[in-house]
Amino acid sequence: MAQQGPSRPLRPIAPRSFPDPPTPGPPPEEGKIKRASMACTECKRRRTKCNAAETAGSPCSECALHGRECIVDEFADKRRKISAKRTEESLKFYRGFVEELLEAIRSGDGPSIESIVNIIRSGASHKEIHSVITQILSQKPREDGDLLDFRKNATPDGKMPDMTPDGWP
C-alpha cells in the first residue's frame, strides 16, 4: 500500500505576530500623487497632465510650452458646487416658467390661450414667450383672488422678476 500525504515532515505552526499599530499623525506625502481637480480645455481635449490649478492666472505648463490658449471653464466641471448651484437656479427658473404658462392657460380665455400657442409654435425665444405670458397674466387676475406661490415674488405691477438663466435664446 502506498503512503498517503507528504513525504517530508510538516513544519510547526507558530502563532501569528501582529505588526505594531501605526503611529497617529498625517500620512506621508511622498508616495501620494497630487491630482489637479480641474484641467484647462486644451489639456482635457489632448488628455495631457494639467497644472492649471497651481498656476492661477498664468497658463499651465503644457499650454505655455506649446503656445496654446489656456482657458479653465469652472462651469464645465460638474463636480463643483458652482455648477450644482447654477443648475439648481436654472431648474427653479424653468419650474416658475412652466407654472406661469399653466396659470396663463388656466385663467386665460380662448384668444389669449391661442396667442400663447401661436407664439410657441412660431419658434419664438423663451424671453418672447415669457413676455406674452406675463402680459396675459397681468391683464387677467384670477377670479378667486388666489395667487400661486411662484407669483409671490412678483413686482408691484404684477410682473415676475427677470430670473433668466444665462444661455437662454
Side-chain angles (χ1 to χ4, degrees), residues 99-100 102-108 136-151:
E99 287 177 351
E100 278 188 337
L102 290 173
E103 180 62 21
I105 291 171
R106 286 183 187 132
S107 66
I136 290 171
L137 287 175
S138 65
Q139 292 173 359
K140 289 222 86 80
R142 293 188 67 182
E143 289 80 27
D144 58 2
D146 183 34
L147 293 176
L148 295 176
D149 290 342
F150 70 92
R151 299 286 292 169

Side-chain angles (χ1 to χ4, degrees), residues 48-61:
T48 57
K49 188 173 180 179
C50 183
N51 62 348
E54 298 169 10
T55 61
S58 60
C60 68
S61 57

Side-chain angles (χ1 to χ4, degrees), residues 38 44 71-80 82-83:
M38 189 169 19
K44 278 183 188 175
I71 301 170
V72 178
D73 185 10
E74 291 182 6
F75 296 114
D77 191 355
K78 304 291 184 210
R79 300 170 297 166
R80 297 207 174 269
I82 297 169
S83 179

Side-chain angles (χ1 to χ4, degrees), residues 9-31:
L10 297 173
R11 64 178 196 181
I13 299 175
R16 182 174 163 198
S17 62
F18 293 102
D20 293 335
T23 58
E29 296 285 328
E30 301 162 1

